[in-house]
Amino acid sequence: MGYNIGLIPGDGIGPEIINEAVKVLDAVADKYGDDFNYSRLFLGGASIDAYGVPLTEETVAKAKEQDAVLMGSIGGDAKTSPWYRLEPSKRPEAGLLGIRKALNLFANLRPAVLYKELSGACPLKEELTEGGFDFMIMRELTGGLYFGERKTYEENGIRTAMDTLVYNEDEIRRIAIKAFETAKRRNNKVTSVDKANVLDSSRLWRSVVEEVSKDYPGVMLEHMLVDNCAMQIVRNPKQFDVILTENMFGDILSDEASMVTGSIGMLASASLNDTSFGLYEPSHGSAPDIAGQNKANPIATILSASMMLRFSLDLAMEADAIDRAVAIVLEEGYRTVDIMSEGNTLLGTKEMGDMIAGKIKR
Ligand code: IPM
Ligand code: MG
């Protein structure tokens, strides 16, 4: 069957890792007889260079025609890149926020998984992580501080800036439903994270999440304050199944969670709306310092492609094949530099892509 896939190579290591994901997708298409039609979309710095703005209407329109979009990464080095001499609303990140909003991608799923082959890279003490951990952060992605009114102004000659954190109950309800639905397919626990001891938006969050939980009697709900959650992720990560939280808290906690796994180069993510459409991307950033050096780990992007096949294209068999190929390559001891340890075999970005694609062809 034919599928339309949008590709956003983006900036930094983005183009390299997307190339490897496409290699793997092509191997899958070959073996299973699928027909993937790729369209290249511009976003972030690449779009600024081509069109002067980080997101064009054409990109939004083209994205809407796709069954799903796979993204590498966007953004550059804020100290040296000319993109960061532009005003904030014209920088690469603004393009990413713009496409999330334009496509209504309100649910951001970020898994934090400790791979057993890579447990040596986990910075936590072994006794805390024995048996591994596997939780999912469900981050609200189109509301809160990221999209509230903001301004910088002077008050009595003093420079002042303001950002606002707004949520309405509908926005909270729809992301809460996604979290409970996800927990139902996992281990039946939702930890809703907020700052209800201080923020009105968090108190509303808590009460709407409570309402939604009534429809999911089989799923256990607990509330946790965000500062405590930041601590619990390093103290006892095994306690979590699905962490449900607002946009800014989710941004911070998901970086923490991915670091704790010791394998940020391995973690995929999905941003979904109310249809089967999704935007899939690795959890890591654009790593401009190693761009173009064939050093980046393409696995997070390859696993994002697998997530895309599973969730947006309904191709579970193909997705399983990718996941299996990645597992075999890790078992056989192949590593990119970020996850390298003694006794294993070091591969570059391209060689890792070849290796994984090769396991699918067999
Ligand atoms: C992320 C990133 C983005 C965010 C940046 C690049 C705007 O940190 O996807 O987590 O804050 O959402
Ligand atoms: Mg982030």
Side-chain angles (χ1 to χ4, degrees):
M1 226 180 113
Y3 300 92
N4 296 323
I5 298 175
L7 294 177
I8 302 178
D11 312 321
I13 57 172
E16 297 165 67
I17 54 184
I18 281 289
N19 278 345
E20 300 318 307
V22 168
K23 212 181 256 176
V24 172
L25 284 169
D26 285 345
V28 160
D30 233 32
K31 176 154 178 186
Y32 294 90
D34 303 308
D35 185 11
F36 299 139
N37 312 306
Y38 306 110
S39 309
R40 183 182 168 175
L41 310 180
F42 286 88
L43 185 74
S47 175
I48 296 174
D49 290 346
Y51 305 108
V53 289
L55 174 64
T56 60
E57 277 175 24
E58 195 196 336
T59 288
V60 172
K62 257 170 120 180
K64 285 184 176 162
E65 290 165 10
Q66 311 301 316
D67 294 307
V69 172
L70 183 66
M71 186 176 113
S73 54
I74 60 109
D77 182 340
K79 283 206 195 84
T80 57
S81 164
W83 301 328
Y84 295 90
R85 292 200 285 275
L86 300 167
E87 62 166 279
S89 67
K90 302 241 159 65
R91 293 178 192 165
E93 288 73 10
L96 182 57
L97 300 191
I99 200 165
R100 287 174 180 169
K101 194 71 169 179
L103 302 175
N104 195 28
L105 304 172
F106 64 86
N108 183 213
L109 283 69
R110 296 192 167 183
V113 182
L114 182 71
Y115 287 85
K116 75 174 184 305
E117 294 87 358
L118 304 181
S119 57
C122 172
L124 298 181
K125 284 201 196 108
E126 232 179 281
E127 68 222 48
L128 299 177
T129 59
E130 224 183 304
F133 59 82
D134 174 352
F135 61 94
M136 178 74 86
I137 297 189
M138 179 69 70
R139 168 189 177 194
E140 201 291 328
L141 201 59
T142 53
L145 276 173
Y146 277 63
F147 294 95
E149 189 195 338
R150 71 177 95 256
K151 60 181 178 188
T152 303
Y153 54 103
E154 279 199 13
E155 210 163 63
N156 306 323
I158 298 176
R159 286 179 303 151
T160 308
M162 180 201 77
D163 299 277
T164 44
L165 201 179
V166 183
Y167 273 107
N168 68 40
E169 58 177 316
D170 295 344
E171 292 169 312
I172 302 169
R173 194 170 295 112
R174 65 183 182 177
I175 187 77
I177 290 171
K178 288 263 189 202
F180 281 96
E181 288 292 335
T182 304
K184 234 167 78 175
R185 280 179 267 123
R186 295 173 47 102
N187 294 314
N188 293 306
K189 182 176 172 190
V190 170
T191 305
S192 176
V193 173
D194 62 37
K195 190 70 186 173
N197 51 350
V198 177
L199 303 176
D200 267 12
S201 54
S202 283
R203 288 186 275 268
L204 178 64
W205 183 278
R206 222 175 244 225
S207 78
V208 174
V209 171
E210 288 280 350
E211 285 165 26
V212 171
S213 79
K214 298 208 171 76
D215 295 331
Y216 298 87
V219 178
M220 188 192 139
L221 168 67
E222 69 175 2
H223 301 282
M224 192 178 276
L225 296 172
V226 62
D227 46 351
N228 183 31
C229 182
M231 185 173 82
Q232 294 299 331
I233 286 174
V234 291
R235 209 185 72 94
N236 178 15
K238 285 192 270 189
Q239 70 184 291
F240 297 113
D241 180 24
V242 176
I243 291 181
L244 162 65
T245 194
E246 66 90 41
N247 204 344
M248 178 70 130
F249 297 158
D251 179 44
I252 298 168
L253 294 176
S254 61
D255 262 30
E256 186 193 7
S258 62
M259 189 63 219
V260 159
T261 66
S263 15
I264 180 156
M266 305 280 302
L267 300 177
S269 83
S271 302
L272 308 174
N273 60 22
D274 256 335
T275 71
S276 63
F277 180 88
L279 183 140
Y280 298 81
E281 59 178 304
S283 280
H284 59 71
S286 59
D289 53 319
I290 57 160
Q293 299 174 30
N294 198 38
K295 280 188 185 160
N297 185 347
I299 296 181
T301 315
I302 290 168
L303 291 175
S304 299
S306 155
M307 246 176 143
M308 171 180 83
L309 297 184
R310 197 180 300 282
F311 292 129
S312 286
L313 309 188
D314 209 12
L315 297 175
M317 205 164 59
E318 286 84 335
D320 286 344
I322 295 181
D323 295 351
R324 216 167 32 240
V326 168
I328 293 172
V329 164
L330 289 176
E331 270 162 37
E332 291 180 353
Y334 295 107
R335 303 283 187 269
T336 45
V337 65
D338 55 309
I339 52 174
M340 182 62 187
S341 57
E342 227 186 294
N344 291 312
T345 311
L346 184 64
L347 296 183
T349 310
K350 285 196 190 107
E351 293 70 30
M352 182 56 96
D354 288 339
M355 186 64 77
I356 296 171
K359 301 291 180 201
I360 285 168
K361 285 193 189 116
R362 279 195 320 187

Short mmCIF file of all heavy atoms in Angstrom, two decimals, residues 1 17 26 28 37 53-54 58 82 86 90 96 109 116 137 163 190 210 215 228-229 231 239 253 255 267 287-288 359:
data_model
loop_
_atom_site.label_atom_id
_atom_site.label_comp_id
_atom_site.label_asym_id
_atom_site.label_seq_id
_atom_site.Cartn_x
_atom_site.Cartn_y
_atom_site.Cartn_z
N MET A 1 0.83 -1.20 0.00
CA MET A 1 0.00 0.00 0.00
C MET A 1 0.86 1.25 0.00
O MET A 1 1.99 1.23 0.47
CB MET A 1 -0.86 -0.01 1.27
CG MET A 1 -2.31 0.32 0.99
SD MET A 1 -3.28 0.30 2.50
CE MET A 1 -3.70 2.02 2.63
N ILE A 17 20.88 11.86 10.33
CA ILE A 17 20.11 10.81 10.99
C ILE A 17 18.83 10.47 10.22
O ILE A 17 18.41 9.32 10.19
CB ILE A 17 19.80 11.16 12.48
CG1 ILE A 17 19.13 12.51 12.62
CG2 ILE A 17 21.07 11.10 13.31
CD1 ILE A 17 18.87 12.97 14.05
N ASP A 26 13.34 2.18 3.70
CA ASP A 26 13.41 1.59 2.36
C ASP A 26 13.61 0.08 2.43
O ASP A 26 13.05 -0.68 1.63
CB ASP A 26 14.53 2.24 1.54
CG ASP A 26 14.13 3.65 1.06
OD1 ASP A 26 12.93 3.97 1.11
OD2 ASP A 26 15.02 4.41 0.66
N VAL A 28 12.53 -1.80 4.81
CA VAL A 28 11.23 -2.34 5.21
C VAL A 28 10.28 -2.40 4.01
O VAL A 28 9.59 -3.40 3.77
CB VAL A 28 10.64 -1.44 6.33
CG1 VAL A 28 9.14 -1.62 6.44
CG2 VAL A 28 11.32 -1.73 7.66
N ASN A 37 6.08 7.19 -0.14
CA ASN A 37 6.40 8.37 -0.95
C ASN A 37 6.85 9.49 -0.03
O ASN A 37 6.08 9.95 0.80
CB ASN A 37 5.16 8.85 -1.72
CG ASN A 37 4.47 7.71 -2.40
OD1 ASN A 37 5.10 6.97 -3.16
ND2 ASN A 37 3.18 7.53 -2.11
N VAL A 53 12.30 32.56 6.92
CA VAL A 53 11.45 32.33 8.11
C VAL A 53 11.53 30.85 8.51
O VAL A 53 11.75 29.98 7.66
CB VAL A 53 9.97 32.71 7.85
CG1 VAL A 53 9.81 34.22 7.73
CG2 VAL A 53 9.44 32.01 6.61
N PRO A 54 11.33 30.55 9.82
CA PRO A 54 11.53 29.16 10.27
C PRO A 54 10.37 28.22 9.91
O PRO A 54 10.53 27.00 10.03
CB PRO A 54 11.65 29.31 11.79
CG PRO A 54 10.91 30.56 12.12
CD PRO A 54 11.10 31.47 10.95
N GLU A 58 3.62 26.94 3.22
CA GLU A 58 3.76 25.79 2.32
C GLU A 58 4.12 24.53 3.12
O GLU A 58 3.59 23.44 2.86
CB GLU A 58 4.83 26.08 1.29
CG GLU A 58 4.78 25.10 0.14
CD GLU A 58 6.06 25.11 -0.70
OE1 GLU A 58 6.77 26.13 -0.72
OE2 GLU A 58 6.33 24.06 -1.32
N PRO A 82 24.03 32.51 13.01
CA PRO A 82 23.34 33.77 12.68
C PRO A 82 21.83 33.69 12.92
O PRO A 82 21.18 34.72 13.09
CB PRO A 82 23.65 33.97 11.18
CG PRO A 82 24.13 32.65 10.68
CD PRO A 82 24.73 31.92 11.84
N LEU A 86 18.46 36.79 14.92
CA LEU A 86 17.10 37.19 14.53
C LEU A 86 16.26 37.37 15.79
O LEU A 86 16.60 36.88 16.85
CB LEU A 86 16.47 36.11 13.65
CG LEU A 86 17.21 35.79 12.34
CD1 LEU A 86 16.66 34.50 11.73
CD2 LEU A 86 17.05 36.96 11.37
N LYS A 90 11.51 34.64 15.03
CA LYS A 90 12.01 34.23 13.70
C LYS A 90 13.10 33.16 13.81
O LYS A 90 13.74 32.80 12.83
CB LYS A 90 12.58 35.45 12.98
CG LYS A 90 11.59 36.57 12.79
CD LYS A 90 11.39 36.85 11.31
CE LYS A 90 10.10 37.57 11.00
NZ LYS A 90 10.05 38.92 11.55
N LEU A 96 9.34 25.24 15.10
CA LEU A 96 8.87 23.99 15.71
C LEU A 96 7.58 24.22 16.51
O LEU A 96 6.61 23.47 16.38
CB LEU A 96 9.98 23.43 16.61
CG LEU A 96 9.71 22.09 17.30
CD1 LEU A 96 9.39 21.01 16.27
CD2 LEU A 96 10.91 21.66 18.13
N LEU A 109 4.43 12.22 23.31
CA LEU A 109 4.80 10.99 24.04
C LEU A 109 6.31 10.83 24.02
O LEU A 109 6.91 10.71 22.95
CB LEU A 109 4.17 9.77 23.37
CG LEU A 109 2.69 9.52 23.61
CD1 LEU A 109 1.83 10.56 22.92
CD2 LEU A 109 2.31 8.15 23.08
N LYS A 116 18.66 -2.86 28.45
CA LYS A 116 19.53 -3.68 29.29
C LYS A 116 20.97 -3.75 28.75
O LYS A 116 21.91 -3.75 29.51
CB LYS A 116 18.93 -5.06 29.57
CG LYS A 116 18.96 -6.05 28.45
CD LYS A 116 18.46 -7.42 28.95
CE LYS A 116 18.56 -8.49 27.88
NZ LYS A 116 17.90 -8.19 26.61
N ILE A 137 6.52 9.71 29.31
CA ILE A 137 6.06 11.05 29.68
C ILE A 137 5.04 11.50 28.63
O ILE A 137 5.32 11.45 27.43
CB ILE A 137 7.24 12.04 29.77
CG1 ILE A 137 8.18 11.57 30.89
CG2 ILE A 137 6.73 13.47 30.02
CD1 ILE A 137 9.27 12.51 31.26
N ASP A 163 5.48 36.26 30.93
CA ASP A 163 4.95 35.12 30.18
C ASP A 163 3.74 34.60 30.94
O ASP A 163 3.73 34.65 32.17
CB ASP A 163 6.00 34.00 30.09
CG ASP A 163 7.27 34.44 29.38
OD1 ASP A 163 7.28 34.41 28.13
OD2 ASP A 163 8.23 34.83 30.07
N VAL A 190 -1.19 6.26 36.24
CA VAL A 190 -0.90 7.63 35.77
C VAL A 190 -0.42 8.46 36.95
O VAL A 190 -1.07 8.50 38.00
CB VAL A 190 -2.17 8.29 35.16
CG1 VAL A 190 -1.92 9.78 34.91
CG2 VAL A 190 -2.57 7.60 33.86
N GLU A 210 -8.75 14.44 37.79
CA GLU A 210 -9.59 13.62 38.68
C GLU A 210 -10.89 13.21 37.98
O GLU A 210 -11.30 12.05 38.04
CB GLU A 210 -9.98 14.42 39.95
CG GLU A 210 -8.85 14.66 40.94
CD GLU A 210 -8.60 13.44 41.84
OE1 GLU A 210 -9.42 12.51 41.81
OE2 GLU A 210 -7.55 13.44 42.52
N ASP A 215 -13.53 7.72 34.52
CA ASP A 215 -13.85 6.85 33.38
C ASP A 215 -12.85 5.70 33.24
O ASP A 215 -12.98 4.88 32.33
CB ASP A 215 -13.85 7.65 32.07
CG ASP A 215 -14.97 8.67 32.06
OD1 ASP A 215 -16.00 8.42 32.72
OD2 ASP A 215 -14.81 9.73 31.41
N ASN A 228 9.05 17.48 43.44
CA ASN A 228 9.20 16.12 43.97
C ASN A 228 9.43 15.12 42.82
O ASN A 228 10.27 14.22 42.92
CB ASN A 228 7.96 15.75 44.79
CG ASN A 228 8.10 14.37 45.42
OD1 ASN A 228 9.20 13.93 45.74
ND2 ASN A 228 6.98 13.68 45.58
N CYS A 229 8.71 15.32 41.72
CA CYS A 229 8.84 14.39 40.58
C CYS A 229 10.26 14.43 40.04
O CYS A 229 10.86 13.38 39.73
CB CYS A 229 7.83 14.75 39.50
SG CYS A 229 7.89 13.62 38.11
N MET A 231 12.85 14.92 41.63
CA MET A 231 13.67 14.16 42.57
C MET A 231 13.40 12.65 42.44
O MET A 231 14.32 11.83 42.41
CB MET A 231 13.34 14.63 43.98
CG MET A 231 14.16 14.04 45.06
SD MET A 231 13.76 14.87 46.59
CE MET A 231 12.28 14.01 47.07
N GLN A 239 9.14 3.48 39.80
CA GLN A 239 7.77 3.67 40.29
C GLN A 239 6.82 4.20 39.21
O GLN A 239 5.61 4.18 39.39
CB GLN A 239 7.77 4.66 41.46
CG GLN A 239 8.10 6.11 41.06
CD GLN A 239 8.19 7.05 42.23
OE1 GLN A 239 7.22 7.36 42.89
NE2 GLN A 239 9.41 7.48 42.52
N LEU A 253 11.19 17.73 32.59
CA LEU A 253 11.25 16.36 33.11
C LEU A 253 11.68 15.36 32.03
O LEU A 253 12.35 14.38 32.33
CB LEU A 253 9.90 15.94 33.70
CG LEU A 253 9.44 16.71 34.95
CD1 LEU A 253 8.06 16.25 35.36
CD2 LEU A 253 10.43 16.57 36.10
N ASP A 255 13.79 15.84 29.57
CA ASP A 255 15.25 15.86 29.44
C ASP A 255 15.90 15.11 30.60
O ASP A 255 16.85 14.34 30.42
CB ASP A 255 15.79 17.30 29.42
CG ASP A 255 16.04 17.80 28.01
OD1 ASP A 255 15.33 17.35 27.09
OD2 ASP A 255 16.94 18.64 27.82
N LEU A 267 16.27 7.41 22.25
CA LEU A 267 14.86 7.62 22.59
C LEU A 267 14.08 8.34 21.50
O LEU A 267 14.45 9.43 21.06
CB LEU A 267 14.77 8.38 23.92
CG LEU A 267 15.43 7.67 25.11
CD1 LEU A 267 15.36 8.53 26.35
CD2 LEU A 267 14.79 6.31 25.35
N ALA A 287 22.51 18.75 18.10
CA ALA A 287 23.95 18.53 18.34
C ALA A 287 24.85 19.17 17.29
O ALA A 287 25.63 18.47 16.63
CB ALA A 287 24.23 17.03 18.46
N PRO A 288 24.79 20.50 17.11
CA PRO A 288 25.58 21.14 16.05
C PRO A 288 27.08 20.88 16.18
O PRO A 288 27.80 20.88 15.18
CB PRO A 288 25.26 22.63 16.19
CG PRO A 288 24.52 22.80 17.47
CD PRO A 288 23.95 21.47 17.85
N LYS A 359 19.91 -5.95 8.76
CA LYS A 359 19.21 -6.95 9.56
C LYS A 359 17.76 -7.09 9.12
O LYS A 359 17.12 -8.11 9.35
CB LYS A 359 19.22 -6.57 11.05
CG LYS A 359 20.58 -6.42 11.65
CD LYS A 359 21.33 -7.74 11.76
CE LYS A 359 22.69 -7.52 12.38
NZ LYS A 359 23.64 -8.59 12.08
#
